[in-house]
Every structure is written in C-alpha cells, then in structure tokens.
C-alpha cells in the first residue's frame, strides 16, 4: 500500500508546504482538510497546486455533523461534496456528529445520520463522490460521532451502492473492537480510506490529541493492514495523527518519521 | 429496583461511614471495594458491620487483571472469591485487565481472560460466588480491560452456567454501544450487577474520573433500566461514580444526591 499524508498530521504546515514535503519524501498521496484547502485559495487552486507536485488526493476531510438534522448541515455537506469533486477525489470523509446540545436521544441522532445520507447520496453520486462514513472511537460518541463501530457504519451504508457510501477504517478508532476482523471483511468494496495512527497510553488531557506515530503504541498494524488488503482495498494508507507534540515538531521531521514508520510497520507487513 | 451504594462513589468515607450513610438515607444495598473491606478489618469484620446496619452486599469490587496469565493473578482472584463469600455476596466483579506492558497482542490478552475463567470457576462455584465480567468502555482497552462490550463479555461467559459467570451492565461503559439492547436481552439470567453513572462532556484530564451523577450527562437511563428489568434482573441498582469533584464533596451530600437522582431518573422510569 502506498502512503498518503493527511494534512492534520502536519497541522501548522500550509497545503503548499505539505505538498512539497510529500514530493521530497516520496509520498505521492495527500488527504487535505477543508480548512487547509480554503486557506490555499479554494478547491480549484488547491488541485492545481497538488497536480503540480503529481500528488493524488486520497480523500477530503471532512463532511458530516448531521445529527441535528438541520438544513444548514445538509447544505454544508453539499459544499463539501463540490470541493471533493473539484479536488479530484472520490472520497469525502464524514464524521457524523455527536449528540445535539443537552440531548440524550442517541437513536434520534443516529436516525438523522441515516436521513442525511438519503438526502446527500443523489447529489454526491452526480458528482462522482462517495460518502465515506468514519466510525469514531466510542469515547467520542457524545460530542463528535454517534457512529462508533465499523459494523454500525456498514449498517448505515448498506441501503446504498458500494460506490455511493463507503466507510473509513482508522486504526485508532477501531483497533479495540472484538468484531473488527469480520467487519473489515464485510466492508469489501466499501473501504474508502485506510487511516493509521497508534494508541498511546496514558492518553493526554485532551483525549482528541492522544494519537501517536505508528509503532509508538499498542496497536498491532500488520493484521489490520492484511485484513484491509484481503477485503480488496487497493488504495493508500493515510497517516492522520492528532498530537500536540507532533504538531509542535518541524513538519519535515514528522513526514520523515511517518515514512520510516510506514516502511517498518505497514509496508513490510 | 432498589438502590445500592458502591463505595467508590464516596471514596473518602470508611466502610462504617458509608454504611451509616446508607442506613440514614434508606439505601439498603452496598457494594464495597476490597481495599475498603481490608481497611475495615477484613471480610468477616466488614460483614458484621454491614449486618449491623441491615445492609445487603450487592457485589464485591473487584477481581480480574488476569491478562498477563500469571499464577499470581489467579491466586489473587481466589482470595477475592473468598472475600466475596465471607461478605455474603454472590457477585465478584472482574475488571479483566488491559494489555500487558508494551504488548500489542490483544487476542493473546483476551485468550488469557478465557483461561483465567476456566481456572477460577470451579473454585468460585464451590464458594457460591459468581464471576461477574465487567466490560469497560473501549477507551480503557489498552490499560484496564480488553473486554470492551457486553457482547464480548457474554461470549466469554457462554461456556459456563449462568450462575457461574455473569456480566455487569454499567451505563457509563456501554451506553454508546449500538448492540446494547439486543445484548442486554441476551444477558438474561447472567446480569450480576446493574451499575449507573452518567457520561459528562467534556471528559476531564483524567478520563477515569469523568463520571457524573445520574442525570448530569448524556445517558438516557429509562430505556437501559427497562431493558435490564425486561431481561429478568431483580437485583439492585448500584451507583458507582469516579469523579474527583464528587470525592471532594461531603459524602453525606453525595448519598443524598444519589437518592434524589435515583428517584427521578431510575425508580420513576
């Protein structure tokens, strides 16, 4: 599997800097975030920039946050679809959103996700974009994503064709799941992205930022990577790490570390 | 469902203080931790003390931590079984343990849990004690419990009779699970304890301590309580809250709050 840099890993780099670091380090995929694309002058300008470096856009992060059921949330996701299409990627990552303010209605929030997919799929299909549901670790259920397992994401995807709704396999979010391997097999044809980072303990105060470089924590990457490949996934491995210490590091060093770790823990496995 | 105070909720109270607060507030169940029992002079002395207040011991916390597979861990669990029997409770709560130091072998750690049950069940059965597997929230998978879901706990329990191996349903650990309701139904006959506390956001720096009084967070208690009752559970509701702010509160106030919240959110539902 080829390597892709998710721009969240080098948070303080501009898109141009991230693209240059990819090119210099033999990384030929990049997964940008929408704010980085906007800062680079929008999707069209970003695509020209990335094309100049010969980079493949492996996904766009991120749409989602549809659990309130508001028309605004749907509208924002239509814009995200447009941006993905302009960037030339077929994969729009969706982080579906947590419980609305003060809400305890988890089934209601989950139903809103299903409804949002119904509303968004026809629009996305016309533009050649797949909606990629990303299950987030259950510790984010209240405030970030009411979709917590790969099985649940696949249940939501099932009413749609495999090229309409996919799923993201992110090691950090799913490594603990006793159903992981059967669900990865079930995801055949629907894996939109394979994202990696490691689970380090103890988690820091801000648990969103507790992710480590591949190899620094408790996740066994070889069996997960093998399962993703066995499910027919031929795309890139996208490295997405949220970690303040890594963000404070020179992005050039971070990209070199990422390439090293990929060689040892993913490519060799 | 009747109310029980897990002593972890009033961490700075002695067993005698906790028992007196129960009696004064009409709480007739108590779930002590082993360190509190030891500080009260051991299981026999603790039982006399609790009998004096007419309290039912609803469970003993906790055995477990068997993922290394060491003989010492089995020996410690035999002692915990003895303590549960002496205390007069049939339910020994097991927190199974996380990954051993530096380990990435999640299947191996889980296999050690299954082996530990095989070793411990005959000993516990002779003493009238059920081993109650507590699935912990997946965020504790690396460092505290490689059993993360009720379904997984039930898979481990299945080779044994319902009065040999049970499961704990703790709202904090399982509320997010899309499989929660079918798995609670499947747990009929095996529910050893129903523990409650709420999920509050944002989680504090020490995520072990992010639990709130029932009603202060995002968990809908009524449907979970109804499902536990529908599964035939006739035991107590044990309130177990790890929260530094609550620990710093006068235990008398904490117990009164617990009784109020029980009336509003559990008993009335």
């Amino acid at each position: 599997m080829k390597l892709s840099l998710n721009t969240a890993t080098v948070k303080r780099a501009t898109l141009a800097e991230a693209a240059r670091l990819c090119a210099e380090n033999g990384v030929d995929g990049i997964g940008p975030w929408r704010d980085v694309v906007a800062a680079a002058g929008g999707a069209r300008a970003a695509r020209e920039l990335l094309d100049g470096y010969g980079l493949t856009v492996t996904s766009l992060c991120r749409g989602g946050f549809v659990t309130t059921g508001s028309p605004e949330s749907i509208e924002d996701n239509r814009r995200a679809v447009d941006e993905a299409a302009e960037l030339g990627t077929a994969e729009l990552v969706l982080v579906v959103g947590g419980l609305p303010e003060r809400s305890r209605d988890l089934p209601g929030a989950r139903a809103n996700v299903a409804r949002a997919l119904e509303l968004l799929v026809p629009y996305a299909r016309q533009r050649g974009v797949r909606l990629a549901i990303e299950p987030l670790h259950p510790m984010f259920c209240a405030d970030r994503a009411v979709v917590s397992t790969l099985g649940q994401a696949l249940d939501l995807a099932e009413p749609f064709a495999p090229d309409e709704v996919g799923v993201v396999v992110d090691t950090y979010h799913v490594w603990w799941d006793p159903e992981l391997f059967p669900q990865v097999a079930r995801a055949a044809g629907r894996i939109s992205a394979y994202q990696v980072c490691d689970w380090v303990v103890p988690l820091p105060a801000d648990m969103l930022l507790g992710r480590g470089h591949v190899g620094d924590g408790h996740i066994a990457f070889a069996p997960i990577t093998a399962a993703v490949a066995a499910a027919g996934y031929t795309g890139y491995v996208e490295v997405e790490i949220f970690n303040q210490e890594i963000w404070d590091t020179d992005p050039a060093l971070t990209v070199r570390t990422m390439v090293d770790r990929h060689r040892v823990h993913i490519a060799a496995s």
Side-chain angles (χ1 to χ4, degrees), chain A residues 66-68 97-100 103 105-114 146:
Chain A
V66 291
T67 44
T68 61
L99 285 169
S103 169
D105 183 9
L106 195 48
R110 287 169 172 166
N112 280 340
V113 176
V146 296

Side-chain angles (χ1 to χ4, degrees), chain A residues 127-195:
Chain A
R127 285 152 187 82
V129 173
R130 172 155 73 171
L131 303 173
I133 305 169
E134 180 165 12
L136 255 54
H137 193 284
M139 70 187 176
F140 299 118
C141 186
D143 53 1
R144 206 162 291 267
V146 296
V147 173
S148 305
T149 64
L150 195 54
Q152 195 188 359
L154 288 167
D155 288 347
L156 284 161
E158 208 151 62
F160 305 98
D163 61 348
E164 291 174 340
V165 179
V167 295
V168 177
V169 177
D170 183 321
T171 55
Y172 184 77
H173 296 304
V174 303
W175 74 280
W176 60 272
D177 186 352
E179 296 301 316
L180 178 59
F181 292 96
Q183 294 299 335
V184 168
R186 180 185 163 208
R190 290 202 191 261
I191 301 178
S192 294
Y194 176 42
Q195 296 183 334

Side-chain angles (χ1 to χ4, degrees), chain A residues 14-31:
Chain A
T14 63
L15 187 64
E17 288 163 351
R20 182 177 50 76
L21 287 171
C22 284
E24 288 174 0
N25 288 279
V27 175
D28 59 8
I30 191 165

Side-chain angles (χ1 to χ4, degrees), chain A residues 68-162:
Chain A
T68 61
S70 75
E72 293 74 20
S73 67
I74 301 300
E75 198 39 56
D76 182 60
N77 277 280
R78 291 207 177 98
R79 281 194 298 274
V81 167
D82 292 342
E83 290 166 29
E86 283 178 354
L87 276 166
T89 178
E91 310 291 354
L92 174 63
V93 175
L94 303 187
V95 171
V96 302
L99 285 169
E101 186 89 14
R102 289 168 201 274
S103 169
R104 296 177 183 134
D105 183 9
L106 195 48
R110 287 169 172 166
N112 280 340
V113 176
R115 270 195 290 277
L117 291 174
E118 284 171 24
L119 291 169
L120 289 167
V121 159
Y123 188 89
R125 182 179 45 218
Q126 282 183 352
R127 285 152 187 82
V129 173
R130 172 155 73 171
L131 303 173
I133 305 169
E134 180 165 12
L136 255 54
H137 193 284
M139 70 187 176
F140 299 118
C141 186
D143 53 1
R144 206 162 291 267
V146 296
V147 173
S148 305
T149 64
L150 195 54
Q152 195 188 359
L154 288 167
D155 288 347
L156 284 161
E158 208 151 62
F160 305 98

Side-chain angles (χ1 to χ4, degrees), chain A residues 223-238:
Chain A
I224 304 178
T225 303
V228 167
Y233 180 74
T234 55
Y236 287 69
V237 184
E238 215 179 83

